[in-house]
Protein backbone atom coordinates (compact mmCIF):
# COMPACT_ATOMS: atom_id res chain seq x y z
CA UNK A 1 0.00 0.00 0.00
CA UNK A 2 1.29 3.43 -0.83
CA UNK A 3 0.29 6.87 0.38
CA UNK A 4 0.86 9.22 -2.52
CA UNK A 5 -0.19 12.31 -4.32
CA UNK A 6 -1.92 12.00 -7.72
CA UNK A 7 1.38 12.73 -9.45
CA UNK A 8 2.62 9.27 -8.42
CA UNK A 9 -0.06 7.39 -10.34
CA UNK A 10 1.57 7.91 -13.77
CA UNK A 11 4.92 6.94 -12.27
CA UNK A 12 3.43 3.67 -11.14
CA UNK A 13 2.50 2.86 -14.72
CA UNK A 14 6.18 3.08 -15.65
CA UNK A 15 7.23 1.00 -12.62
CA UNK A 16 4.62 -1.69 -13.23
CA UNK A 17 6.80 -3.30 -15.89
CA UNK A 18 9.44 -3.99 -13.24
CA UNK A 19 6.99 -5.55 -10.77
CA UNK A 20 5.59 -9.04 -10.72
CA UNK A 21 1.94 -8.86 -11.93
CA UNK A 22 0.67 -10.37 -8.66
CA UNK A 23 2.60 -7.77 -6.66
CA UNK A 24 1.35 -4.95 -8.90
CA UNK A 25 -2.27 -5.92 -8.17
CA UNK A 26 -1.56 -5.44 -4.46
CA UNK A 27 -0.39 -1.83 -4.82
CA UNK A 28 -3.09 0.63 -3.80
CA UNK A 29 -2.86 4.39 -3.53
CA UNK A 30 -4.45 6.17 -0.61
CA UNK A 31 -5.22 9.87 -0.67
CA UNK A 32 -5.83 11.67 2.66
CA UNK A 33 -8.99 13.51 1.56
CA UNK A 34 -10.79 10.67 -0.23
CA UNK A 35 -13.37 8.61 1.63
CA UNK A 36 -12.50 5.43 -0.31
CA UNK A 37 -8.87 5.79 0.74
CA UNK A 38 -9.87 6.22 4.37
CA UNK A 39 -11.99 3.09 4.21
CA UNK A 40 -9.15 1.19 2.55
CA UNK A 41 -6.69 2.21 5.27
CA UNK A 42 -9.16 1.25 8.00
CA UNK A 43 -9.61 -2.18 6.42
CA UNK A 44 -5.88 -2.87 6.80
CA UNK A 45 -5.10 -1.04 10.05
CA UNK A 46 -6.68 -0.65 13.49
CA UNK A 47 -8.45 2.72 13.52
CA UNK A 48 -7.26 3.39 17.09
CA UNK A 49 -3.61 3.10 16.01
CA UNK A 50 -3.99 4.68 12.58
CA UNK A 51 -2.77 8.31 12.46
CA UNK A 52 -5.48 10.93 11.96
CA UNK A 53 -3.90 11.94 8.64
CA UNK A 54 -5.08 8.60 7.29
CA UNK A 55 -8.53 8.55 8.83
CA UNK A 56 -7.63 7.06 12.20
CA UNK A 57 -7.89 8.30 15.75
CA UNK A 58 -4.23 8.30 16.78
CA UNK A 59 -2.37 11.55 17.14
CA UNK A 60 1.33 10.90 17.06
CA UNK A 61 4.14 13.30 17.84
CA UNK A 62 7.65 12.54 16.69
CA UNK A 63 10.51 13.52 18.98
CA UNK A 64 13.79 12.85 17.19
CA UNK A 65 15.90 13.06 20.37
CA UNK A 66 13.73 10.50 22.17
CA UNK A 67 13.69 8.21 19.12
CA UNK A 68 17.48 8.41 18.81
CA UNK A 69 17.95 7.61 22.50
CA UNK A 70 15.69 4.55 22.21
CA UNK A 71 17.54 3.35 19.11
CA UNK A 72 20.90 3.59 20.91
CA UNK A 73 19.50 1.59 23.84
CA UNK A 74 18.15 -1.02 21.45
CA UNK A 75 21.49 -1.25 19.65
CA UNK A 76 23.27 -1.78 22.98
CA UNK A 77 20.83 -4.53 24.04
CA UNK A 78 21.21 -6.25 20.68
CA UNK A 79 25.02 -6.09 20.85
CA UNK A 80 25.00 -7.61 24.35
CA UNK A 81 22.58 -10.33 23.25
CA UNK A 82 24.79 -11.36 20.34
CA UNK A 83 27.99 -10.96 22.35
CA UNK A 84 29.32 -8.24 20.11
CA UNK A 85 29.77 -5.51 22.69
CA UNK A 86 32.94 -3.41 22.53
CA UNK A 87 35.22 -5.80 24.49
CA UNK A 88 34.41 -8.92 22.52
CA UNK A 89 34.38 -7.04 19.20
CA UNK A 90 37.92 -5.74 19.87
CA UNK A 91 39.14 -9.22 20.89
CA UNK A 92 37.65 -10.78 17.73
CA UNK A 93 39.30 -8.11 15.59
CA UNK A 94 42.69 -8.63 17.28
CA UNK A 95 42.50 -12.44 16.91
CA UNK A 96 41.46 -12.14 13.28
CA UNK A 97 44.30 -9.75 12.42
CA UNK A 98 46.85 -11.97 14.18
CA UNK A 99 45.86 -14.91 11.96
CA UNK A 100 46.08 -12.97 8.70
CA UNK A 101 49.24 -12.87 6.65
CA UNK A 102 49.66 -10.73 3.55
CA UNK A 103 49.63 -12.65 0.27
CA UNK A 104 51.78 -11.12 -2.43
CA UNK A 105 50.06 -10.52 -5.74
CA UNK A 106 51.82 -11.80 -8.84
CA UNK A 107 53.15 -9.09 -11.11
CA UNK A 108 52.89 -11.21 -14.23
CA UNK A 109 51.68 -14.63 -15.27
CA UNK A 110 54.47 -17.22 -15.14
CA UNK A 111 55.44 -18.53 -18.56
CA UNK A 112 55.32 -22.29 -19.01
Amino acid sequence: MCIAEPVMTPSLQAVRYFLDPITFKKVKFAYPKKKESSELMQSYFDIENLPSEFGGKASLEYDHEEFSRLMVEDDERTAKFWGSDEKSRDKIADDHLAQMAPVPAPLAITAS
Side-chain angles (χ1 to χ4, degrees), residues 69-88:
R69 185 185 63 76
L70 293 171
M71 291 289 88
V72 168
E73 288 176 7
D74 187 55
D75 289 345
E76 290 170 353
R77 279 193 305 272
T78 302
K80 286 178 184 174
F81 176 80
W82 290 107
S84 62
D85 52 350
E86 288 297 321
K87 293 175 191 169
S88 62

Side-chain angles (χ1 to χ4, degrees), residues 30-112:
Y31 303 100
K33 297 183 178 170
K34 288 192 174 182
K35 185 178 179 187
E36 305 87 37
S37 294
S38 178
E39 291 170 356
L40 176 69
M41 294 295 286
Q42 291 175 18
S43 71
Y44 286 102
F45 302 99
D46 179 20
I47 193 167
E48 297 298 323
N49 294 325
L50 188 63
S52 58
E53 295 93 329
F54 306 116
K57 295 181 178 178
S59 59
L60 306 173
E61 290 187 27
Y62 176 73
D63 179 2
H64 186 70
E65 295 299 321
E66 177 67 10
F67 179 77
S68 296
R69 185 185 63 76
L70 293 171
M71 291 289 88
V72 168
E73 288 176 7
D74 187 55
D75 289 345
E76 290 170 353
R77 279 193 305 272
T78 302
K80 286 178 184 174
F81 176 80
W82 290 107
S84 62
D85 52 350
E86 288 297 321
K87 293 175 191 169
S88 62
R89 186 173 37 229
D90 291 342
K91 182 174 177 357
I92 291 168
D94 290 344
D95 290 346
H96 182 68
L97 289 173
Q99 295 173 8
M100 293 176 56
V103 178
L107 297 175
I109 299 174
T110 308
S112 50

